[in-house]
Amino acid sequence: MRTARPDQINDLLRTFGALTWPDGRQTALDLAAARGWSVRLETRNAVRFTTNLGTNDDRARAFVLSDEATGGTLDKLTVNVSDAVKEAPAELEKAYTDLCALVGTTLGAPVQVDRGTLPRTFWDLENGGRVGFQQLSDIVIMILLSRDAADLARDEERLGIDPNRTPGTGHEGL
């Protein structure tokens, strides 16, 4: 199973760590352009990109909070960093574990580890944002949370709110 190369992951880490919050839509566009990514679709609340990370699912998504004055504030960025596979859970778990270990060598111990059915691991960045990986059912994604989104996650952790809850379904697990 292919994953993004270590130099590509380290480049994203450096870039994510250099952001200043609040950052906007243009920051996501500039980040993508600097890496040779192309815009697939741009809407009011999102930008979808095609990356060049060498995996069989080369998508990335920037989620933007609408703000007429600023053109939108970047809230979250997700990047597919492994091949998408349907029937290889052991390979997918290894890709997730290896990517987390790679980031751990740079950022140290993670601040959040959720070992549920869709495990995820996060590290805080010095700029207040948060970066991590999540193993989905068929792919591993890298996630950047803005300072505001990371602050919300930190508040939820402090309050003991279950990160695996599903709001609005009656299974909030508060």
Side-chain angles (χ1 to χ4, degrees):
M1 167 181 280
R2 292 172 300 180
T3 63
R5 295 185 323 264
D7 63 306
Q8 293 170 316
I9 296 296
N10 287 325
D11 172 60
L12 289 171
L13 285 176
R14 278 189 303 278
T15 301
F16 294 167
L19 296 176
T20 56
W21 302 109
D23 256 323
R25 171 189 302 272
Q26 190 59 48
T27 297
L29 293 168
D30 293 345
L31 178 150
R35 278 148 198 82
W37 301 359
S38 58
V39 175
R40 294 175 68 180
L41 175 68
E42 190 169 352
T43 67
R44 181 176 177 196
N45 292 66
V47 183
R48 294 183 186 168
F49 303 99
T50 300
T51 71
N52 56 3
L53 297 179
T55 61
N56 69 3
D57 189 339
D58 56 359
R59 293 179 288 171
R61 293 150 304 279
F63 300 95
V64 179
L65 301 175
S66 296
D67 181 348
E68 297 298 323
T70 65
T73 302
L74 179 61
D75 188 54
K76 181 179 182 181
L77 177 72
T78 64
V79 181
N80 294 355
V81 291
S82 79
D83 280 345
V85 295
K86 293 190 187 280
E87 299 296 329
E91 288 182 37
L92 195 61
E93 183 176 348
K94 181 177 179 347
Y96 168 75
T97 303
D98 290 350
L99 289 164
C100 288
L102 173 67
V103 172
T105 62
T106 302
L107 297 180
V111 295
Q112 178 185 1
V113 178
D114 299 326
R115 290 182 171 80
T117 57
L118 300 175
R120 59 187 175 177
T121 302
F122 283 96
W123 292 262
D124 282 336
L125 298 171
E126 288 184 18
N127 63 8
R130 194 172 259 198
V131 66
F133 293 99
Q134 184 165 19
Q135 178 185 330
L136 302 178
S137 61
D138 64 344
I139 200 162
V140 178
I141 62 173
M142 186 175 192
I143 304 166
L144 168 68
L145 297 177
S146 70
R147 182 185 60 217
D148 289 346
D151 284 346
L152 180 61
R154 286 186 278 269
D155 286 345
E156 289 178 350
E157 290 165 18
R158 183 179 53 78
L159 294 170
I161 298 173
D162 181 3
N164 296 312
R165 72 191 183 291
T166 309
T169 64
H171 302 285
E172 284 84 1
L174 300 176

